[in-house]
Amino acid sequence: MSVLTPLLLRGLTGSARRLPVPCARVHSKPPREQLGTMDIAIGLTSCFVCFLLPSGWVLSHLENYKKRE
């Protein structure tokens, strides 16, 4: 790296530091209906089935994928 590299990088990022960042004003109301225990159980089960089950299956059969046939 040359001696001028930090100066060049500082020159490129210096203008970005002075830009104002807008502040998000997010307001929400309380939910119309409270989630029940069954709703939460169904949501967690569907997340498990959709994401964790396929990745677990692939990881358990990883040795089969490594073999060249």
Side-chain angles (χ1 to χ4, degrees):
M1 273 178 64
S2 86
V3 178
L4 295 176
T5 304
L7 295 174
L8 292 173
L9 291 175
R10 192 175 311 133
L12 290 174
T13 61
S15 60
R17 290 183 192 156
R18 291 187 291 267
L19 293 175
V21 177
C23 182
R25 300 191 194 312
V26 178
H27 300 283
S28 66
K29 298 178 183 177
R32 292 184 191 136
E33 298 177 9
Q34 292 293 328
L35 291 177
T37 306
M38 186 59 89
D39 297 329
I40 294 173
I42 290 172
L44 288 174
T45 303
S46 64
C47 287
F48 173 76
V49 168
C50 291
F51 295 111
L52 297 178
L53 197 64
S55 59
W57 188 85
V58 168
L59 287 174
S60 67
H61 292 87
L62 200 56
E63 293 299 323
N64 295 341
Y65 291 125
K66 288 182 181 178
K67 293 179 184 175
R68 289 274 184 195
E69 292 181 355

